[in-house]
Amino acid sequence: MSRSENPNSIRTCAARMMRTIEAWEQDSDNDKLREGLLEATLPVLRRDDLYKLGTKRQANHIENAKWLYFDEDLTLELDQFPNGKFIPPHDHGVWEAIVVCKGTLKHTVYQRVDDESVDGHAELKIVEEVLMKPGEIAMVVPPNDIHSFQAMTDDTFGLTIVGGEYSPYRRYYNLGSNTYAVKTPRALKESGALA
């Protein structure tokens, strides 16, 4: 069996994800995208060497982040989410999925319920809030791509799948004041707002 035919290989996983994405682009069925991405990644979760794979990447909210696969249309990342660190509600401008590999992740998806007529003002309602365990997937797709998350255990890892390039500018939402700021994630981190 060649390396590209190995069902646990990153290459095979990426190829399966690409086929799933191509089918989704034809019918826009988000449930099929979610199911297909999860099916593509589950063999990778069984790898004994998973946490040794990848190339270090600069992340916006976390320190231990690696690329497993990258091209202009698809990214597969291995991310460690620090226990208890709340990542505030934000958008991406592109769809994103997280598959939990290890630990427990609280993932919340929001929808804007205001009329979006006032810059800097946003009212959000929770449309999904789950405690994710290994082998479970959460997904956000524009225009409903606002989410927050928080690891609930030590050594929480996830495979993050991104369908293209992240927007360089994102909205970071403050639930207490019903406001948002348009910032680069890096600028927020450097200001200490995401520390």
Side-chain angles (χ1 to χ4, degrees):
M1 176 180 287
S2 75
R3 183 175 182 175
S4 64
E5 295 169 348
N6 179 347
N8 298 345
S9 77
I10 300 301
R11 179 182 292 190
T12 299
C13 174
R16 287 179 177 166
M17 288 191 291
M18 287 178 211
R19 287 192 297 273
T20 295
I21 294 164
E22 288 170 5
W24 171 72
E25 288 171 343
Q26 300 301 313
D27 67 17
S28 300
D29 185 331
N30 291 347
D31 289 333
K32 284 184 184 175
L33 178 61
R34 181 188 295 241
E35 292 165 13
L37 293 174
L38 181 59
E39 185 178 320
T41 57
L42 287 178
V44 173
L45 298 185
R46 293 190 280 272
R47 290 183 61 142
D48 293 333
D49 63 347
L50 175 61
Y51 305 103
K52 296 176 185 175
L53 298 176
T55 303
K56 178 85 173 149
R57 72 176 188 89
Q58 184 69 45
N60 297 313
H61 307 295
I62 58 176
E63 297 301 320
N64 187 8
K66 298 177 184 178
W67 276 301
L68 297 178
Y69 179 86
F70 176 84
D71 67 33
E72 65 273 8
D73 297 319
L74 177 66
T75 303
L76 178 61
E77 305 162 4
L78 178 63
D79 298 319
Q80 182 177 17
F81 304 112
N83 186 6
K85 182 177 182 181
F86 177 69
I87 307 303
H90 61 282
D91 61 15
H92 295 286
V94 67
W95 66 260
E96 179 185 76
I98 300 172
V99 178
V100 174
C101 307
K102 188 173 164 182
T104 304
L105 186 71
K106 181 179 179 181
H107 186 267
T108 307
V109 180
Y110 305 86
Q111 180 180 26
R112 281 195 64 175
V113 294
D114 62 289
D115 64 8
E116 301 187 31
S117 64
V118 178
D119 285 343
H121 174 80
E123 296 173 29
L124 303 181
K125 77 170 185 175
I126 294 173
V127 295
E128 179 183 73
E129 187 167 67
V130 294
L131 279 178
M132 299 171 60
K133 300 289 186 184
E136 295 180 343
I137 187 170
M139 197 168 82
V140 289
V141 180
N144 298 310
D145 65 331
I146 303 168
H147 72 150
S148 64
F149 51 91
Q150 180 177 10
M152 306 304 286
T153 58
D154 290 334
D155 291 328
T156 297
F157 283 83
L159 293 176
T160 303
I161 307 158
V162 185
E165 296 283 334
Y166 285 121
S167 172
Y169 296 97
R170 302 185 201 166
R171 290 179 190 92
Y172 283 83
Y173 297 87
N174 184 317
L175 297 172
S177 62
N178 289 333
T179 60
Y180 70 86
V182 177
K183 300 276 186 171
T184 64
R186 180 65 43 217
L188 279 173
K189 186 173 183 180
E190 290 170 359
S191 73
L194 294 179

